[in-house]
Amino acid sequence: MSRIDKLRDFLAADPNDSFTRYAIGLEYGKDENYPKAIRVLEELRELDPEYVPLYYMLAGYYREMGDLENAEATYREGITKAREANDLHALSELEAALDEL
């Protein structure tokens, strides 16, 4: 059983587990399957828009696909969410990534 299959089993047991959904997106990203990674992380953004880590990775996958407009918008949204959550580490990472874009 692949790692993604195991994570999908975990998600089936708890469909509201944001971390597991995030981990699935990362696994697709590791395989450079950016369209699937984006789809999974966009689903997570719809279900749990306060899950700050998703914004950095999702924007990065958009960037890998050459979609700089969505990458920028996602970084900016993540910056807002990180500020609201007072997540200074994520905030600095998102701001640095946006500056590099």
Side-chain angles (χ1 to χ4, degrees):
M1 179 180 279
S2 74
R3 188 173 168 114
I4 289 177
D5 290 336
K6 288 178 189 177
L7 289 167
R8 285 185 187 182
D9 285 348
F10 291 145
L11 190 60
D14 184 0
N16 296 318
D17 184 355
S18 295
F19 177 77
T20 299
R21 194 174 301 273
Y22 175 73
I24 292 169
L26 295 185
E27 286 299 312
Y28 283 124
K30 283 181 191 174
D31 292 341
E32 297 182 3
N33 190 339
Y34 302 123
K36 280 190 177 181
I38 288 168
R39 189 186 82 241
V40 170
L41 293 181
E42 284 290 2
E43 289 172 4
L44 176 55
R45 179 160 60 173
E46 288 179 28
L47 295 169
D48 188 0
E50 306 309 311
Y51 194 78
V52 174
L54 81 91
Y55 294 95
Y56 182 86
M57 297 308 295
L58 178 58
Y61 297 145
Y62 277 126
R63 188 177 188 172
E64 289 292 331
M65 296 289 296
D67 187 346
L68 301 184
E69 185 177 323
N70 272 321
E72 179 181 353
T74 303
Y75 283 133
R76 291 189 186 285
E77 184 177 352
I79 287 167
T80 299
K81 296 294 183 181
R83 272 198 192 108
E84 291 170 356
N86 200 32
D87 186 338
L88 301 180
H89 179 73
L91 177 61
S92 68
E93 287 183 337
L94 288 159
E95 288 174 335
L98 179 60
D99 287 344
E100 290 176 12
L101 189 65

